[in-house]
C-alpha cells in the first residue's frame, strides 16, 4: 500500500489546471452579510467565539475555503484508514486520537504548496474532533450556556435560541450526508433509529437534552434536527423568582401545595418552560417519599433519595415492543409510589393518570399542552376519550374535578421570557361545568418597556382558595397574607 505522501502527490498530479474563477452568485445573508452558499463551519466553544471568527472570515476567497475543505476531507479519510471503526466507539482514547490527528495533519500540511495559518490549523483540527467525538458544527452551541435550543433546518440553515430569541448562526454542515451521520450518531446512542421506514424520531443526548429528528421524505428541504438543551445544573425555585417567572408569594404557595400533596397540572404551549417548572415543583417533595417519574425522554433531575425513573420505548423495526406512557402509568401503580410524576400527558394515559390521582396517589404532578387553565380541562377530557371508553362527558368532568386540585399555566411572551400567568384552583362541579378560581394571575396592565421587555408580574387576586382546608389535613399551614393584594 502506498504511503500518505505518495497518495497526496498522485492527487496533485491528477488535478487539472485551475480554470479562471467565475463570478460567484451566492445569495447574501442580510443579517450577517456573508455568502449563504459558502461552507461555513463552527469553531471551538464557546459558540460566541465561533460566531465571531466565522464573521471575521466573511471576506475569505472561496478558494481558501475549498482548500480547507480538501484538507479536512484528506485528514478525516486518513483517520478512518488508521483507526477504522474505533473512531466511533464510545470509549475511544482521546490521547490516541489527538496523536493520530496531529501526525496526519502534519503530513497533509507538509504536502501543501501554501502553508495554513495557525488559526486555520486549529480550526481544521477542532472541526474534525467535533465530527468524531461530538456532533459536528453544532457542537459549540451545545456547550454554550446562553443557548437553550439548537434548530437545524437542513445542512445550510442552523438557528439557535438565545435568551428566548431565535437567531441564525453561520455554522453549516458540509452536506446532507454529513447531517444524516450526525443524526444517526445521536439516535443510535439511545437505541433508536431513523430512516425512510421510520423518518421521525425522539431521542435524548447523554446530558438529558431532548432531540427530535425528521428526515426525507417527510423533510422536503433536508433533514431537520431540533435539540432542546437541558441544563446540567437545573434551575431552582429561587432562579425562577429571580427571572420573574414566579413571585415570592406564589413560590411559597406552590411549595405548600406540593408538600400538602395536592394534585397539580402544569400547562402551557411548546417551549413555555413546563418541564423546568415541573422540575422545580418536584424539588419540593419531601425526601422520605418514593417518587416514580414517567417520561418519553428522561429529562427530570430530582435530587431526592428515593426516585425511580421510567422511560417509554417506541416499537422496533418490526413494529413490536412499544411501551407507552399509558403502559408505564399503569405499571407504576404496582410499584408502591407516594408520588407519580408524568413528564407529559398527551394521549389516553390521561385516563390512567386521573384514576391514579383518584385512588390514593395524592400529590401527583404532570404537564399538559394547552392555551389556558380552562383549555387544560378540555384537553384532558379529549385525551380521556382517546382511551376508547364510552364514558359520558359529565362522568369525565367529575373525575377531573375530583382528581385535579391546581392548574399552573405558563406562557412564553413576545420578549422571549417565560412566565407563569395563572395559578388556578379547580373547585367542583356546578351543573355540567367545572368551576375554576384564579388565585394568582399575571398583570398585563404594565405593558412593555422601550426594549420590548414585559413589565408585568404575577399577582394575587385577593381570593382565599378552598384548598387550604385540604392542606391543613397534612399539617401544612399557609399564611393568609400570601393572598393579600398589593393595593
Amino acid at each position: 500500500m502506498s504511503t500518505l505522501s505518495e497518495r497526496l502527490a498522485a492527487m496533485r498530479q491528477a488535478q487539472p489546471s485551475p480554470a479562471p474563477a467565475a463570478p460567484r452568485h451566492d445569495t447574501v445573508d442580510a443579517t450577517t452579510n456573508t455568502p449563504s452558499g459558502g461552507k461555513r463551519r463552527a469553531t471551538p466553544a464557546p459558540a460566541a467565539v465561533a460566531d465571531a471568527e466565522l464573521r471575521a472570515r466573511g471576506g475569505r476567497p472561496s478558494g481558501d475555503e475549498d482548500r480547507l475543505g480538501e484538507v479536512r476531507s484528506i485528514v478525516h479519510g486518513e483517520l478512518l484508514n488508521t483507526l477504522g471503526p474505533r473512531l466511533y466507539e464510545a470509549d475511544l482514547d482521546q490521547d490516541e486520537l489527538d496523536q493520530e490527528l496531529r501526525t496526519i495533519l502534519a503530513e497533509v500540511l507538509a504536502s501543501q504548496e501554501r502553508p495554513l495559518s495557525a488559526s486555520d490549523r486549529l480550526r481544521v483540527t477542532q472541526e474534525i474532533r467535533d465530527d468524531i467525538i461530538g456532533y459536528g458544527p453544532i457542537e459549540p452551541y451545545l456547550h454554550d450556556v446562553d443557548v437553550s435550543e439548537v434548530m437545524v433546518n437542513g445542512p445550510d440553515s442552523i438557528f439557535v435560541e438565545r435568551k428566548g430569541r431565535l437567531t441564525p448562526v453561520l455554522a453549516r454542515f458540509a452536506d446532507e450526508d454529513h447531517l444524516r451521520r450526525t443524526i444517526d450518531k445521536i439516535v443510535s446512542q439511545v437505541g433508536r433509529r431513523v430512516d425512510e421506514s421510520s423518518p421521525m424520531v425522539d431521542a435524548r443526548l447523554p446530558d438529558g437534552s431532548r432531540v427530535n429528528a425528521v428526515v426525507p421524505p417527510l423533510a422536503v428541504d433536508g433533514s431537520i434536527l431540533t435539540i432542546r438543551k437541558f441544563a446540567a445544573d437545573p434551575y431552582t425555585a429561587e432562579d425562577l423568582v429571580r427571572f420573574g417567572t414566579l413571585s415570592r408569594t406564589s413560590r411559597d404557595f406552590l411549595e405548600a401545595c406540593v408538600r400538602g400533596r395536592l394534585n397539580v397540572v402544569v400547562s402551557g404551549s411548546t417551549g413555555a418552560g413546563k418541564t423546568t417548572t415541573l422540575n422545580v415543583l418536584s424539588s419540593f417533595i419531601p425526601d422520605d417519599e418514593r417518587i416514580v417519574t414517567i417520561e418519553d425522554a428522561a429529562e427530570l433531575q430530582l435530587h431526592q433519595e428515593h426516585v425511580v425513573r421510567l422511560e417509554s420505548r417506541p416499537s422496533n423495526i418490526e413494529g413490536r415492543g412499544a411501551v407507552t406512557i399509558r403502559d408505564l402509568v399503569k405499571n407504576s401503580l404496582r410499584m408502591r409510589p407516594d408520588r407519580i410524576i408524568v413528564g407529559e400527558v398527551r394521549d389516553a394515559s390521561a385516563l390512567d393518570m386521573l384514576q391514579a390521582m383518584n385512588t390514593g396517589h395524592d400529590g401527583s404532578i404532570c404537564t399538559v399542552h394547552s392555551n389556558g387553565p380552562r383549555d387544560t380541562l378540555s384537553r384532558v377530557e379529549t385525551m380521556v376519550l382517546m382511551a376508547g371508553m364510552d364514558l359520558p362527558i359529565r362522568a369525565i368532568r367529575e373525575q377531573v374535578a375530583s382528581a385535579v386540585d391546581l392548574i399552573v399555566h405558563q406562557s412564553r411572551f413576545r420578549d422571549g421570557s417565560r412566565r407563569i400567568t395563572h395559578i388556578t384552583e379547580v373547585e367542583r362541579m356546578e351543573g355540567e361545568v367545572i368551576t375554576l378560581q384564579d388565585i394568582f394571575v399575571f398583570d398585563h396592565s404594565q405593558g412593555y418597556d422601550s426594549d420590548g421587555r414585559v413589565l408585568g408580574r404575577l399577582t394575587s387576586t385577593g381570593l382565599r382558595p378552598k384548598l387550604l382546608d385540604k392542606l391543613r389535613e397534612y399539617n401544612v399551614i399557609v399564611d393568609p397574607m400570601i393572598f393579600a393584594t398589593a393595593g
Side-chain angles (χ1 to χ4, degrees):
M1 180 181 292
S2 59
T3 65
L4 172 59
S5 300
E6 292 172 346
R7 291 199 296 275
L8 290 170
M11 288 176 57
R12 287 197 303 274
Q13 292 175 1
Q15 289 176 347
S17 300
R24 289 179 59 86
H25 299 287
D26 293 325
T27 58
V28 175
D29 187 327
T31 59
T32 58
N33 200 30
T34 57
S36 62
K39 298 178 181 178
R40 302 300 180 202
R41 300 291 302 277
T43 51
V49 176
D51 289 343
E53 292 181 358
L54 284 166
R55 290 191 179 89
R57 286 196 296 272
R60 178 193 296 279
S62 61
D64 286 354
E65 189 70 22
D66 291 341
R67 190 162 69 94
L68 283 182
E70 179 186 341
V71 171
R72 280 195 299 268
S73 178
I74 295 172
V75 174
H76 202 162
E78 286 303 316
L79 277 174
L80 288 172
N81 289 335
T82 305
L83 297 179
R86 293 191 54 230
L87 277 178
Y88 299 98
E89 293 179 358
D91 58 349
L92 174 66
D93 183 56
Q94 303 301 310
D95 293 335
E96 181 181 357
L97 173 62
D98 285 338
Q99 181 60 44
E100 291 288 347
L101 184 55
R102 283 193 295 268
T103 300
I104 294 173
L105 184 59
E107 289 189 51
V108 173
L109 295 180
S111 69
Q112 299 290 306
E113 296 179 359
R114 290 179 297 165
L116 291 181
S117 66
S119 62
D120 282 342
R121 283 183 180 233
L122 177 62
R123 178 186 173 196
V124 171
T125 303
Q126 186 64 39
E127 287 173 357
I128 294 173
R129 280 179 56 89
D130 285 346
D131 265 344
I132 294 172
I133 300 174
Y135 305 109
I138 62 174
E139 182 74 12
Y141 307 103
L142 298 178
H143 293 286
D144 189 334
V145 294
D146 292 329
V147 173
S148 57
E149 198 148 0
V150 179
M151 290 146 281
V152 181
N153 308 324
D156 296 323
S157 176
I158 302 177
F159 286 75
V160 299
E161 181 185 281
R162 282 194 178 98
K163 299 178 180 178
R165 296 184 179 272
L166 295 181
T167 56
V169 298
L170 298 179
R172 299 289 184 268
F173 286 88
D175 49 34
E176 174 67 15
D177 290 340
H178 186 198
L179 175 54
R180 284 293 295 273
R181 287 196 302 271
T182 302
I183 293 175
D184 289 338
K185 183 176 183 179
I186 292 173
V187 301
S188 63
Q189 291 176 338
V190 290
R192 305 285 172 89
R193 64 184 179 87
V194 59
D195 49 38
E196 287 189 4
S197 63
S198 179
M200 295 189 298
V201 66
D202 284 311
R204 58 180 170 83
L205 298 180
D207 65 357
S209 297
R210 185 189 305 174
V211 178
N212 176 268
V214 184
V215 302
L218 299 188
V220 178
D221 299 320
S223 299
I224 301 170
L225 177 65
T226 308
I227 301 176
R228 181 173 298 173
K229 292 172 57 182
F230 203 62
D233 184 17
Y235 290 133
T236 65
E238 296 304 316
D239 291 327
L240 296 193
V241 171
R242 189 171 70 254
F243 298 154
T245 302
L246 279 169
S247 63
R248 173 66 60 184
T249 53
S250 59
R251 177 248 182 244
D252 294 340
F253 175 67
L254 288 177
E255 180 179 6
C257 290
V258 173
R259 288 192 294 108
R261 301 184 66 85
L262 297 187
N263 293 321
V264 181
V265 174
V266 181
S267 62
S269 61
T270 299
K274 298 188 298 297
T275 303
T276 298
T277 299
L278 178 63
N279 207 68
V280 168
L281 294 181
S282 302
S283 69
F284 297 142
I285 299 174
D287 286 331
D288 59 351
E289 296 187 18
R290 176 176 169 86
I291 307 169
V292 177
T293 69
I294 300 170
E295 302 172 84
D296 273 326
E299 294 178 286
L300 294 175
Q301 296 172 287
L302 304 185
H303 299 293
Q304 287 88 343
E305 293 183 2
H306 202 162
V307 178
V308 178
R309 305 171 72 203
L310 303 178
E311 186 178 65
S312 64
R313 185 181 71 183
S315 58
N316 59 20
I317 195 171
E318 297 175 348
R320 302 176 180 174
V323 179
T324 66
I325 293 289
R326 186 176 188 188
D327 295 330
L328 294 177
V329 171
K330 289 179 180 179
N331 186 77
S332 69
L333 301 179
R334 307 182 185 100
M335 299 174 66
R336 199 269 179 205
D338 288 309
R339 310 267 186 154
I340 300 174
I341 300 176
V342 181
E344 183 180 335
V345 176
R346 59 162 66 95
D347 52 25
S349 60
L351 176 60
D352 301 283
M353 191 69 196
L354 289 179
Q355 290 179 333
M357 291 177 173
N358 275 323
T359 54
H361 298 90
D362 295 333
S364 298
I365 313 173
C366 65
T367 71
V368 172
H369 277 83
S370 74
N371 296 324
R374 175 65 63 183
D375 185 58
T376 299
L377 300 183
S378 299
R379 280 271 298 154
V380 172
E381 289 177 20
T382 302
M383 290 186 290
V384 170
L385 292 173
M386 292 169 63
M389 305 293 290
D390 190 16
L391 295 174
I393 291 297
R394 181 177 178 84
I396 296 175
R397 289 178 180 173
E398 287 176 346
Q399 284 275 317
V400 173
S402 175
V404 180
D405 296 304
L406 199 69
I407 297 174
V408 179
H409 186 75
Q410 190 157 350
S411 300
R412 180 169 58 179
F413 288 173
R414 189 171 58 187
D415 63 352
S417 63
R418 296 166 170 85
R419 307 292 182 94
I420 290 176
T421 59
H422 295 79
I423 298 178
T424 303
E425 179 184 13
V426 180
E427 291 189 333
R428 63 188 179 278
M429 286 284 294
E430 286 190 0
E432 298 291 327
V433 180
I434 300 175
T435 304
L436 300 181
Q437 178 61 61
D438 290 333
I439 304 172
F440 292 89
V441 294
F442 192 85
D443 178 14
H444 292 273
S445 62
Q446 299 182 46
Y448 297 81
D449 65 12
S450 58
D451 295 324
R453 291 191 295 266
V454 65
L455 295 175
R457 61 190 180 89
L458 191 64
T459 60
S460 172
T461 61
L463 299 174
R464 183 180 181 274
K466 296 179 176 61
L467 52 79
L468 295 183
D469 296 332
K470 186 179 293 186
L471 294 179
R472 196 173 294 110
E473 295 176 8
Y474 288 95
N475 195 30
V476 176
I477 308 300
V478 177
D479 184 357
M481 291 306 297
I482 283 182
F483 310 107
T485 57

